[in-house]
Amino acid sequence: MGIDSGSTPPSPPPPEPEGDPAISELTKKIQQDPKNPILYNDRGIAYYNKGEYNKAIADYTEAIRLNPKDAVVYKNRSLAYKAKGKYDLSLSDYTQAVKLDPKLAD
């Protein structure tokens, strides 16, 4: 047997906080202001960047429900659908984005 130093082993480091801090912060803001489409779009972007396309699509969909004239959100949702291989839905959203803001076609 090895020598016992009499000390207790070091405790493991605390677990990392769950989730992404940006997503957590946006979720808190959404809870405070649930009718703000910008917050849903921003959290959708955060989910998209993590590859969590279903969550991104859900947030973009809520942003569109709250503000159906925001072309950028349609474009963002189009990109999420494309990443999932749902090209028909992607094209539909992209078409709507360009209808709302023709400059997005450039």
Side-chain angles (χ1 to χ4, degrees):
M1 273 177 91
I3 300 173
D4 186 331
S5 66
S7 65
T8 58
S11 55
E16 289 293 316
E18 287 204 31
D20 181 293
I23 291 172
S24 295
E25 185 62 29
L26 285 163
T27 300
K28 287 178 192 171
K29 288 181 179 182
I30 287 169
Q31 289 168 345
Q32 295 167 357
D33 189 6
K35 294 187 179 183
N36 186 334
I38 295 168
L39 296 174
Y40 286 99
N41 182 61
D42 289 351
R43 189 172 69 176
I45 292 167
Y47 280 132
Y48 177 88
N49 288 335
K50 290 183 67 170
E52 295 185 33
Y53 304 122
N54 289 333
K55 290 179 179 180
I57 289 166
D59 275 354
Y60 295 143
T61 300
E62 182 62 12
I64 289 167
R65 187 186 73 75
L66 293 168
N67 182 9
K69 298 191 186 268
D70 190 334
V72 171
V73 182
Y74 279 100
K75 183 178 178 187
N76 290 344
R77 191 171 71 174
S78 170
L79 294 171
Y81 279 135
K82 182 179 175 188
K84 287 183 52 79
K86 297 189 176 227
Y87 301 112
D88 54 337
L89 294 171
S90 176
L91 181 59
S92 176
D93 274 358
Y94 186 76
T95 301
Q96 183 63 24
V98 172
K99 277 185 192 175
L100 292 169
D101 184 356
K103 292 180 276 184
L104 290 176
D106 294 339

XYZ file of all heavy atoms in Angstrom:
826
model
N 0.829 -1.174 0.000
C 0.000 0.000 0.000
C 0.868 1.230 0.000
O 1.951 1.238 0.555
C -0.910 0.017 1.236
C -2.199 -0.749 0.975
S -3.238 -0.828 2.415
C -4.245 0.556 2.256
N 0.329 2.296 -0.557
C 1.055 3.548 -0.613
C 0.989 4.290 0.698
O 0.264 3.929 1.615
N 1.784 5.296 0.783
C 1.837 6.123 1.988
C 0.600 7.007 2.019
O 0.227 7.637 1.037
C 3.114 6.981 2.012
C 4.319 6.071 1.984
C 3.137 7.918 3.193
C 5.614 6.788 1.826
N -0.037 7.069 3.182
C -1.219 7.904 3.367
C -0.765 9.221 3.958
O -0.216 9.264 5.045
C -2.207 7.197 4.299
C -3.517 7.958 4.419
O -3.520 9.195 4.286
O -4.535 7.302 4.650
N -0.965 10.287 3.228
C -0.522 11.591 3.715
C -1.477 12.162 4.744
O -1.176 13.169 5.374
C -0.375 12.568 2.548
O -1.644 12.831 1.987
N -2.636 11.558 4.893
C -3.599 12.063 5.862
C -4.467 13.179 5.336
O -5.356 13.637 6.026
N -4.203 13.650 4.150
C -5.043 14.727 3.615
C -6.138 14.130 2.729
O -6.009 13.036 2.201
C -4.199 15.718 2.814
O -3.658 15.078 1.680
N -7.183 14.885 2.584
C -8.275 14.427 1.725
C -7.954 14.800 0.282
O -7.277 15.812 0.029
C -9.609 15.085 2.138
O -9.462 16.485 2.059
C -10.009 14.669 3.527
N -8.398 13.994 -0.638
C -8.125 14.321 -2.041
C -8.832 15.611 -2.428
O -9.856 15.973 -1.845
C -8.687 13.120 -2.805
C -9.655 12.482 -1.877
C -9.203 12.812 -0.483
N -8.278 16.332 -3.391
C -8.928 17.580 -3.819
C -10.305 17.283 -4.402
O -10.513 16.253 -5.033
C -7.982 18.147 -4.874
C -7.160 16.993 -5.331
C -7.114 16.016 -4.194
N -11.220 18.188 -4.154
C -12.563 17.994 -4.698
C -12.539 18.324 -6.192
O -11.746 19.147 -6.649
C -13.566 18.862 -3.962
O -13.167 20.204 -3.989
N -13.406 17.676 -6.949
C -13.435 17.944 -8.394
C -13.899 19.374 -8.647
O -14.588 19.972 -7.822
C -14.451 16.925 -8.920
C -15.277 16.548 -7.751
C -14.409 16.723 -6.534
N -13.502 19.916 -9.790
C -13.945 21.288 -10.107
C -15.462 21.320 -10.254
O -16.085 20.310 -10.582
C -13.248 21.602 -11.433
C -12.906 20.278 -12.020
C -12.739 19.331 -10.871
N -16.062 22.474 -9.985
C -17.519 22.564 -10.136
C -17.899 22.332 -11.596
O -17.120 22.650 -12.506
C -17.849 23.989 -9.694
C -16.578 24.738 -9.791
C -15.470 23.736 -9.624
N -19.068 21.769 -11.834
C -19.474 21.542 -13.225
C -19.665 22.866 -13.954
O -19.984 23.881 -13.348
C -20.803 20.794 -13.096
C -21.290 21.098 -11.725
C -20.080 21.386 -10.886
N -19.425 22.804 -15.246
C -19.644 23.988 -16.083
C -21.129 24.322 -16.076
O -21.974 23.423 -16.021
C -19.202 23.700 -17.524
C -17.695 23.604 -17.685
C -17.002 24.919 -17.457
O -17.470 25.953 -17.953
O -15.983 24.909 -16.753
N -21.477 25.601 -16.111
C -22.898 25.928 -16.177
C -23.492 25.335 -17.453
O -22.836 25.309 -18.484
C -22.924 27.454 -16.199
C -21.536 27.901 -16.427
C -20.621 26.747 -16.151
N -24.701 24.845 -17.325
C -25.327 24.216 -18.469
C -25.676 25.247 -19.521
O -26.097 26.342 -19.215
C -26.586 23.482 -18.029
C -26.255 22.231 -17.275
C -27.360 21.216 -17.333
O -28.081 21.173 -18.334
O -27.468 20.478 -16.367
N -25.484 24.862 -20.753
C -25.893 25.704 -21.860
C -24.914 26.815 -22.182
O -23.857 26.957 -21.594
N -25.312 27.585 -23.132
C -24.526 28.697 -23.638
C -24.917 29.961 -22.878
O -26.099 30.252 -22.739
C -24.844 28.817 -25.130
C -24.090 29.913 -25.805
O -24.358 31.088 -25.487
O -23.253 29.607 -26.667
N -23.933 30.726 -22.398
C -24.291 31.934 -21.634
C -25.110 32.947 -22.440
O -26.001 33.597 -21.892
C -22.951 32.523 -21.213
C -21.890 31.605 -21.679
C -22.520 30.480 -22.446
N -24.826 33.058 -23.723
C -25.589 34.008 -24.544
C -27.037 33.561 -24.660
O -27.969 34.377 -24.546
C -24.957 34.130 -25.927
N -27.243 32.260 -24.837
C -28.603 31.743 -24.941
C -29.324 31.915 -23.609
O -30.494 32.309 -23.570
C -28.593 30.272 -25.410
C -28.136 30.213 -26.871
C -29.969 29.637 -25.243
C -27.885 28.823 -27.406
N -28.631 31.643 -22.521
C -29.240 31.815 -21.192
C -29.659 33.264 -20.968
O -30.755 33.535 -20.461
C -28.262 31.396 -20.097
O -27.988 30.025 -20.191
N -28.820 34.186 -21.345
C -29.122 35.612 -21.167
C -30.309 36.024 -22.038
O -31.206 36.746 -21.585
C -27.893 36.455 -21.507
C -28.069 37.930 -21.237
C -28.330 38.264 -19.768
O -27.863 37.529 -18.872
O -29.034 39.257 -19.517
N -30.325 35.557 -23.282
C -31.449 35.889 -24.163
C -32.748 35.273 -23.656
O -33.809 35.887 -23.749
C -31.148 35.433 -25.596
C -30.147 36.317 -26.330
C -29.585 35.613 -27.548
C -30.789 37.641 -26.721
N -32.662 34.073 -23.105
C -33.853 33.433 -22.544
C -34.409 34.262 -21.396
O -35.633 34.466 -21.294
C -33.528 31.997 -22.097
O -33.086 31.247 -23.246
C -34.741 31.321 -21.476
N -33.540 34.772 -20.543
C -33.988 35.641 -19.446
C -34.664 36.895 -19.990
O -35.710 37.322 -19.489
C -32.809 36.042 -18.558
C -32.291 34.933 -17.688
C -31.094 35.412 -16.890
C -30.376 34.245 -16.238
N -29.099 34.646 -15.642
N -34.066 37.477 -21.017
C -34.646 38.688 -21.605
C -36.004 38.394 -22.241
O -36.917 39.220 -22.165
C -33.683 39.285 -22.635
C -32.472 39.918 -21.998
C -31.545 40.520 -23.037
C -30.348 41.175 -22.367
N -29.443 41.807 -23.335
N -36.131 37.221 -22.871
C -37.410 36.837 -23.477
C -38.470 36.663 -22.398
O -39.624 37.061 -22.576
C -37.245 35.556 -24.330
C -36.489 35.896 -25.625
C -38.597 34.914 -24.641
C -36.041 34.693 -26.429
N -38.083 36.102 -21.262
C -39.034 35.949 -20.158
C -39.526 37.313 -19.661
O -40.676 37.456 -19.266
C -38.396 35.159 -19.013
C -38.195 33.692 -19.360
C -37.318 32.956 -18.369
O -36.615 33.557 -17.558
N -37.335 31.632 -18.447
N -38.654 38.305 -19.720
C -39.025 39.652 -19.276
C -39.815 40.415 -20.341
O -40.611 41.287 -20.021
C -37.766 40.446 -18.916
C -37.027 39.882 -17.728
C -35.629 40.471 -17.584
O -35.169 41.272 -18.394
N -34.938 40.060 -16.527
N -39.562 40.099 -21.611
C -40.178 40.829 -22.723
C -40.581 39.826 -23.812
O -39.976 39.784 -24.883
C -39.179 41.860 -23.264
C -39.783 42.808 -24.276
O -41.009 42.768 -24.504
O -39.011 43.603 -24.856
N -41.607 39.006 -23.549
C -41.932 37.905 -24.453
C -42.527 38.316 -25.802
O -42.694 37.468 -26.670
C -42.936 37.066 -23.655
C -43.539 38.014 -22.691
C -42.457 39.014 -22.360
N -42.791 39.575 -25.983
C -43.357 40.020 -27.264
C -42.328 40.754 -28.120
O -42.687 41.426 -29.082
C -44.579 40.894 -27.015
C -45.701 40.092 -26.397
C -46.964 40.884 -26.288
C -48.030 39.974 -25.671
N -49.314 40.603 -25.571
N -41.065 40.594 -27.789
C -39.994 41.275 -28.520
C -39.410 40.325 -29.572
O -38.644 39.417 -29.243
C -38.908 41.721 -27.543
C -37.835 42.547 -28.197
O -37.578 42.434 -29.394
N -37.179 43.376 -27.414
N -39.746 40.524 -30.849
C -39.279 39.603 -31.885
C -37.760 39.627 -32.079
O -37.165 38.630 -32.492
C -40.006 40.073 -33.145
C -40.347 41.499 -32.875
C -40.572 41.600 -31.391
N -37.124 40.739 -31.764
C -35.667 40.839 -31.930
C -34.955 39.839 -31.026
O -33.978 39.213 -31.423
C -35.194 42.281 -31.656
C -35.767 43.227 -32.713
C -33.671 42.358 -31.628
C -35.604 44.695 -32.382
N -35.477 39.666 -29.814
C -34.855 38.719 -28.883
C -34.960 37.286 -29.400
O -34.003 36.512 -29.302
C -35.497 38.839 -27.499
C -35.301 40.179 -26.798
C -36.113 40.226 -25.509
C -33.824 40.438 -26.528
N -36.112 36.931 -29.973
C -36.264 35.588 -30.539
C -35.329 35.400 -31.723
O -34.713 34.338 -31.871
C -37.714 35.329 -30.965
C -38.639 35.096 -29.805
C -39.436 36.128 -29.314
C -38.716 33.853 -29.187
C -40.292 35.925 -28.241
C -39.561 33.643 -28.106
C -40.345 34.678 -27.640
O -41.187 34.478 -26.568
N -35.218 36.414 -32.565
C -34.298 36.316 -33.697
C -32.863 36.138 -33.204
O -32.131 35.282 -33.703
C -34.406 37.547 -34.590
C -33.486 37.448 -35.792
O -33.616 36.546 -36.606
N -32.551 38.374 -35.894
N -32.480 36.932 -32.222
C -31.104 36.848 -31.714
C -30.820 35.486 -31.090
O -29.751 34.911 -31.299
C -30.842 37.957 -30.701
C -30.768 39.336 -31.336
O -30.753 39.430 -32.584
O -30.734 40.321 -30.584
N -31.780 34.955 -30.341
C -31.559 33.629 -29.756
C -31.555 32.568 -30.858
O -30.785 31.605 -30.799
C -32.618 33.310 -28.699
C -32.274 32.036 -27.920
C -33.201 31.805 -26.762
N -34.546 31.459 -27.231
C -35.547 31.124 -26.431
N -35.379 31.106 -25.115
N -36.736 30.828 -26.920
N -32.373 32.765 -31.883
C -32.357 31.857 -33.030
C -30.985 31.827 -33.685
O -30.482 30.764 -34.056
N -30.358 32.987 -33.800
C -29.007 33.056 -34.370
C -28.032 32.271 -33.494
O -27.189 31.525 -34.002
C -28.565 34.522 -34.540
C -29.389 35.213 -35.617
C -27.065 34.613 -34.844
C -29.240 36.725 -35.654
N -28.153 32.428 -32.187
C -27.266 31.707 -31.269
C -27.454 30.195 -31.418
O -26.467 29.440 -31.461
C -27.514 32.151 -29.831
N -28.693 29.750 -31.499
C -28.948 28.318 -31.695
C -28.407 27.852 -33.052
O -27.798 26.789 -33.160
C -30.442 28.004 -31.617
C -30.997 27.906 -30.222
C -32.167 28.582 -29.871
C -30.388 27.118 -29.249
C -32.711 28.480 -28.601
C -30.922 27.019 -27.967
C -32.079 27.700 -27.653
O -32.603 27.589 -26.385
N -28.632 28.645 -34.075
C -28.148 28.295 -35.419
C -26.630 28.114 -35.396
O -26.104 27.146 -35.946
C -28.545 29.378 -36.421
C -28.029 29.115 -37.813
C -28.766 28.344 -38.707
C -26.806 29.616 -38.234
C -28.286 28.089 -39.983
C -26.324 29.361 -39.500
C -27.065 28.594 -40.375
O -26.578 28.332 -41.639
N -25.942 29.040 -34.756
C -24.479 28.975 -34.705
C -23.970 27.745 -33.954
O -22.840 27.315 -34.162
C -23.903 30.249 -34.097
C -24.027 31.430 -35.029
O -24.105 31.278 -36.253
N -24.076 32.623 -34.473
N -24.807 27.181 -33.081
C -24.452 25.952 -32.363
C -24.889 24.698 -33.124
O -24.662 23.591 -32.667
C -25.114 25.938 -30.977
C -24.523 26.950 -30.012
C -25.174 26.836 -28.658
C -24.785 25.499 -28.060
N -25.152 25.330 -26.659
N -25.549 24.890 -34.259
C -26.035 23.746 -35.027
C -27.343 23.184 -34.507
O -27.754 22.094 -34.906
N -28.016 23.923 -33.637
C -29.306 23.488 -33.088
C -30.423 24.103 -33.937
O -31.114 25.033 -33.532
C -29.404 23.884 -31.616
C -28.383 23.162 -30.759
C -28.538 23.438 -29.274
O -29.676 23.628 -28.802
O -27.494 23.461 -28.595
N -30.567 23.532 -35.139
C -31.429 24.138 -36.148
C -32.909 24.094 -35.777
O -33.638 25.041 -36.078
C -31.191 23.482 -37.508
C -29.740 23.563 -37.920
C -29.010 22.415 -38.198
C -29.085 24.787 -37.989
C -27.675 22.491 -38.553
C -27.751 24.879 -38.338
C -27.049 23.724 -38.619
O -25.727 23.807 -38.965
N -33.371 23.034 -35.129
C -34.790 22.983 -34.749
C -35.135 24.094 -33.763
O -36.188 24.732 -33.870
C -35.156 21.621 -34.155
C -35.178 20.535 -35.200
O -35.417 20.785 -36.376
N -34.928 19.305 -34.778
N -34.252 24.325 -32.804
C -34.493 25.405 -31.838
C -34.408 26.762 -32.526
O -35.173 27.673 -32.223
C -33.499 25.319 -30.688
C -33.742 24.123 -29.784
C -32.728 24.065 -28.669
C -32.979 22.876 -27.756
N -32.006 22.799 -26.663
N -33.474 26.904 -33.461
C -33.360 28.155 -34.215
C -34.640 28.411 -35.001
O -35.192 29.522 -34.967
C -32.154 28.097 -35.147
N -35.126 27.383 -35.675
C -36.350 27.529 -36.474
C -37.528 27.907 -35.586
O -38.337 28.775 -35.944
C -36.619 26.238 -37.277
C -35.575 26.106 -38.394
C -38.036 26.227 -37.844
C -35.517 24.729 -39.044
N -37.625 27.295 -34.420
C -38.723 27.631 -33.500
C -38.659 29.098 -33.089
O -39.685 29.790 -33.050
C -38.671 26.727 -32.269
N -37.454 29.586 -32.793
C -37.334 30.999 -32.397
C -37.598 31.936 -33.571
O -38.264 32.960 -33.412
C -35.954 31.266 -31.796
C -35.891 30.927 -30.319
O -36.932 30.596 -29.719
O -34.791 31.008 -29.749
N -37.101 31.594 -34.753
C -37.378 32.435 -35.923
C -38.880 32.454 -36.216
O -39.444 33.497 -36.556
C -36.634 31.931 -37.158
C -35.133 32.006 -37.074
C -34.351 31.004 -37.630
C -34.481 33.065 -36.458
C -32.963 31.058 -37.581
C -33.095 33.128 -36.396
C -32.345 32.119 -36.962
O -30.977 32.174 -36.923
N -39.538 31.316 -36.048
C -40.975 31.238 -36.292
C -41.736 32.141 -35.325
O -42.677 32.848 -35.720
C -41.455 29.777 -36.189
O -40.750 29.002 -37.178
C -42.951 29.656 -36.414
N -41.320 32.152 -34.075
C -41.971 33.040 -33.103
C -41.697 34.503 -33.450
O -42.591 35.351 -33.347
C -41.500 32.717 -31.684
C -42.168 33.552 -30.616
C -43.678 33.384 -30.517
O -44.243 32.452 -31.109
O -44.307 34.219 -29.834
N -40.490 34.823 -33.867
C -40.176 36.198 -34.270
C -41.045 36.630 -35.446
O -41.541 37.761 -35.477
C -38.690 36.317 -34.618
N -41.249 35.716 -36.385
C -42.097 36.016 -37.544
C -43.553 36.194 -37.108
O -44.250 37.085 -37.598
C -41.954 34.915 -38.619
C -40.569 35.024 -39.274
C -43.067 35.009 -39.661
C -40.178 33.827 -40.114
N -44.014 35.375 -36.181
C -45.380 35.514 -35.682
C -45.572 36.895 -35.061
O -46.592 37.552 -35.263
C -45.684 34.419 -34.653
C -47.138 34.404 -34.206
C -47.383 33.418 -33.079
N -46.840 33.873 -31.798
C -47.374 34.815 -31.033
N -48.470 35.442 -31.418
N -46.823 35.164 -29.881
N -44.568 37.360 -34.343
C -44.656 38.657 -33.674
C -44.453 39.826 -34.634
O -44.984 40.918 -34.394
C -43.622 38.723 -32.544
C -43.881 37.775 -31.371
C -42.657 37.715 -30.461
C -45.116 38.204 -30.597
N -43.674 39.615 -35.689
C -43.421 40.679 -36.667
C -43.278 40.056 -38.056
O -42.170 39.801 -38.514
C -42.165 41.472 -36.301
C -41.907 42.607 -37.277
O -42.735 42.918 -38.131
N -40.744 43.228 -37.167
N -44.401 39.810 -38.723
C -44.360 39.116 -40.013
C -43.770 39.916 -41.168
O -43.649 39.393 -42.272
C -45.828 38.761 -40.273
C -46.617 39.664 -39.412
C -45.751 40.040 -38.245
N -43.364 41.138 -40.920
C -42.794 41.961 -41.995
C -41.273 42.088 -41.911
O -40.672 42.876 -42.623
C -43.445 43.337 -41.994
C -44.943 43.243 -42.266
C -45.541 44.583 -42.530
C -47.026 44.481 -42.644
N -47.521 44.281 -43.953
N -40.643 41.293 -41.045
C -39.189 41.361 -40.884
C -38.517 40.389 -41.848
O -38.447 39.180 -41.608
C -38.790 41.044 -39.446
C -37.327 41.331 -39.164
O -36.502 41.308 -40.107
O -36.996 41.575 -37.991
N -38.018 40.927 -42.944
C -37.408 40.113 -43.997
C -36.185 39.344 -43.502
O -35.945 38.210 -43.923
C -37.026 41.004 -45.178
N -35.416 39.949 -42.633
C -34.182 39.311 -42.157
C -34.486 38.014 -41.420
O -33.765 37.020 -41.568
C -33.376 40.289 -41.270
C -32.212 39.589 -40.598
C -32.890 41.462 -42.105
N -35.558 37.983 -40.662
C -35.900 36.763 -39.925
C -36.298 35.654 -40.899
O -35.927 34.492 -40.712
C -36.996 37.014 -38.876
C -37.287 35.739 -38.095
C -36.581 38.115 -37.919
N -37.027 36.006 -41.953
C -37.347 35.001 -42.969
C -36.065 34.452 -43.588
O -35.937 33.250 -43.820
C -38.240 35.589 -44.063
C -39.697 35.646 -43.705
C -40.275 36.824 -43.268
C -40.509 34.520 -43.808
C -41.626 36.888 -42.938
C -41.853 34.569 -43.484
C -42.400 35.763 -43.050
O -43.727 35.809 -42.722
N -35.122 35.345 -43.858
C -33.859 34.894 -44.442
C -33.111 33.977 -43.462
O -32.578 32.945 -43.854
C -32.981 36.091 -44.810
C -31.685 35.693 -45.476
C -30.858 36.898 -45.864
C -29.545 36.458 -46.480
N -28.659 37.578 -46.720
N -33.103 34.343 -42.196
C -32.433 33.512 -41.195
C -33.081 32.132 -41.107
O -32.393 31.110 -41.052
C -32.450 34.197 -39.827
C -31.551 35.406 -39.776
O -30.697 35.604 -40.627
N -31.748 36.240 -38.771
N -34.412 32.106 -41.090
C -35.095 30.811 -41.020
C -34.840 30.004 -42.288
O -34.673 28.781 -42.233
C -36.594 31.003 -40.770
C -37.286 29.680 -40.427
C -38.706 29.864 -39.970
N -39.572 30.273 -41.077
C -40.889 30.393 -40.993
N -41.507 30.145 -39.836
N -41.599 30.774 -42.022
N -34.749 30.698 -43.411
C -34.414 30.029 -44.668
C -33.076 29.298 -44.558
O -32.939 28.153 -45.002
C -34.370 31.059 -45.806
O -33.831 30.496 -46.974
N -32.097 29.954 -43.955
C -30.777 29.334 -43.804
C -30.829 28.120 -42.871
O -30.150 27.115 -43.109
C -29.779 30.362 -43.278
C -29.463 31.512 -44.231
C -28.634 32.577 -43.525
C -28.759 31.000 -45.476
N -31.646 28.202 -41.831
C -31.777 27.066 -40.914
C -32.454 25.890 -41.615
O -32.022 24.735 -41.457
C -32.549 27.490 -39.667
N -33.494 26.168 -42.389
C -34.136 25.090 -43.144
C -33.146 24.472 -44.133
O -33.098 23.253 -44.297
C -35.363 25.606 -43.902
C -36.617 25.734 -43.076
C -37.418 26.867 -43.171
C -37.037 24.713 -42.224
C -38.597 26.987 -42.433
C -38.199 24.835 -41.478
C -38.972 25.962 -41.591
O -40.125 26.077 -40.859
N -32.377 25.310 -44.781
C -31.381 24.803 -45.742
C -30.378 23.890 -45.041
O -30.024 22.828 -45.568
C -30.657 25.982 -46.406
C -29.649 25.560 -47.440
C -28.982 26.775 -48.069
C -27.885 26.351 -49.018
N -27.114 27.494 -49.491
N -29.926 24.287 -43.854
C -28.968 23.476 -43.099
C -29.550 22.107 -42.745
O -28.810 21.135 -42.602
C -28.535 24.212 -41.834
N -30.874 22.026 -42.597
C -31.545 20.759 -42.296
C -31.897 19.977 -43.559
O -32.438 18.886 -43.483
C -32.824 21.009 -41.502
C -32.568 21.417 -40.062
C -33.852 21.579 -39.274
C -34.782 20.411 -39.338
N -34.483 19.279 -38.490
N -31.605 20.553 -44.732
C -31.926 19.878 -45.985
C -33.379 20.036 -46.403
O -33.851 19.320 -47.278
N -34.088 20.967 -45.799
C -35.495 21.220 -46.138
C -35.534 22.361 -47.159
O -35.885 23.497 -46.844
C -36.295 21.535 -44.885
C -36.315 20.364 -43.924
C -37.284 20.592 -42.794
C -37.301 19.344 -41.950
N -38.634 18.909 -41.621
N -35.140 22.025 -48.377
C -34.922 23.043 -49.399
C -36.205 23.722 -49.850
O -36.181 24.911 -50.166
C -34.178 22.425 -50.591
C -32.857 21.849 -50.175
C -32.633 20.476 -50.206
C -31.837 22.671 -49.695
C -31.413 19.950 -49.794
C -30.622 22.153 -49.282
C -30.417 20.785 -49.338
O -29.226 20.266 -48.915
N -37.330 23.001 -49.850
C -38.587 23.634 -50.256
C -38.994 24.724 -49.260
O -39.383 25.825 -49.651
C -39.694 22.593 -50.418
C -39.890 21.708 -49.189
O -38.944 21.570 -48.380
O -40.997 21.143 -49.028
N -38.858 24.438 -47.965
C -39.174 25.444 -46.950
C -38.161 26.588 -46.975
O -38.521 27.749 -46.790
C -39.215 24.801 -45.564
C -40.343 23.783 -45.351
C -40.160 23.047 -44.026
C -41.699 24.454 -45.422
N -36.916 26.256 -47.233
C -35.873 27.272 -47.331
C -36.180 28.240 -48.477
O -36.112 29.458 -48.305
C -34.510 26.609 -47.544
O -33.514 27.582 -47.733
N -36.521 27.695 -49.619
C -36.831 28.530 -50.779
C -38.057 29.395 -50.526
O -38.081 30.576 -50.875
C -37.030 27.661 -52.025
C -37.346 28.415 -53.309
C -36.223 29.398 -53.656
C -37.577 27.427 -54.444
N -39.059 28.832 -49.879
C -40.275 29.588 -49.569
C -39.952 30.790 -48.673
O -40.414 31.913 -48.925
C -41.287 28.668 -48.892
O -42.424 29.394 -48.498
N -39.151 30.555 -47.631
C -38.792 31.663 -46.736
C -37.906 32.688 -47.439
O -38.062 33.890 -47.226
C -38.093 31.135 -45.486
C -39.062 30.732 -44.395
O -40.287 30.880 -44.574
O -38.597 30.266 -43.343
N -36.978 32.216 -48.252
C -36.098 33.151 -48.961
C -36.921 34.018 -49.921
O -36.713 35.230 -50.008
C -34.995 32.408 -49.713
C -33.998 33.347 -50.329
C -33.040 33.987 -49.542
C -34.022 33.633 -51.685
C -32.130 34.874 -50.093
C -33.115 34.516 -52.245
C -32.172 35.138 -51.451
O -31.286 36.018 -51.997
N -37.880 33.399 -50.599
C -38.756 34.139 -51.514
C -39.527 35.217 -50.748
O -39.634 36.365 -51.208
C -39.727 33.176 -52.226
O -38.951 32.211 -52.953
C -40.659 33.908 -53.170
N -40.044 34.859 -49.580
C -40.771 35.841 -48.762
C -39.841 36.963 -48.307
O -40.236 38.132 -48.296
C -41.424 35.149 -47.562
C -42.250 36.071 -46.701
C -43.448 36.673 -47.429
O -43.952 36.128 -48.408
N -43.914 37.811 -46.960
N -38.623 36.612 -47.938
C -37.657 37.633 -47.507
C -37.402 38.640 -48.621
O -37.388 39.857 -48.383
C -36.351 36.967 -47.084
N -37.223 38.152 -49.834
C -36.946 39.037 -50.971
C -38.177 39.867 -51.332
O -38.050 41.033 -51.713
C -36.418 38.227 -52.174
C -36.308 39.086 -53.420
C -35.064 37.611 -51.830
N -39.370 39.303 -51.172
C -40.596 40.092 -51.400
C -40.657 41.265 -50.438
O -41.039 42.369 -50.811
C -41.844 39.217 -51.194
C -42.234 38.389 -52.356
C -43.542 37.679 -52.034
C -43.854 36.604 -53.029
N -45.044 35.834 -52.666
N -40.310 41.001 -49.185
C -40.361 42.061 -48.171
C -39.238 43.068 -48.312
O -39.402 44.245 -47.994
C -40.332 41.437 -46.771
C -41.571 40.635 -46.385
C -41.306 39.841 -45.103
C -42.767 41.559 -46.202
N -38.073 42.597 -48.761
C -36.916 43.484 -48.916
C -36.075 43.011 -50.107
O -35.202 42.158 -49.965
C -36.056 43.472 -47.651
C -34.902 44.452 -47.718
O -34.690 45.108 -48.774
O -34.179 44.573 -46.713
N -36.360 43.567 -51.290
C -35.672 43.126 -52.506
C -34.141 43.248 -52.427
O -33.424 42.537 -53.136
C -36.246 44.030 -53.596
C -37.582 44.427 -53.079
C -37.424 44.530 -51.586
N -33.627 44.103 -51.559
C -32.168 44.236 -51.434
C -31.511 42.960 -50.927
O -30.323 42.767 -51.127
C -31.815 45.399 -50.525
C -32.152 46.769 -51.096
C -31.784 47.860 -50.153
C -32.917 48.006 -49.174
N -32.799 49.084 -48.230
N -32.270 42.094 -50.270
C -31.714 40.845 -49.772
C -31.318 39.896 -50.904
O -30.559 38.966 -50.689
C -32.698 40.141 -48.832
C -32.904 40.823 -47.486
C -33.976 40.080 -46.684
C -31.609 40.881 -46.696
N -31.826 40.148 -52.107
C -31.484 39.303 -53.252
C -30.086 39.602 -53.777
O -29.518 38.808 -54.511
C -32.508 39.454 -54.356
N -29.537 40.743 -53.420
C -28.211 41.136 -53.932
C -27.114 40.286 -53.352
O -27.127 39.793 -52.298
C -27.931 42.611 -53.617
C -28.886 43.528 -54.367
O -29.459 43.098 -55.376
O -29.068 44.673 -53.913
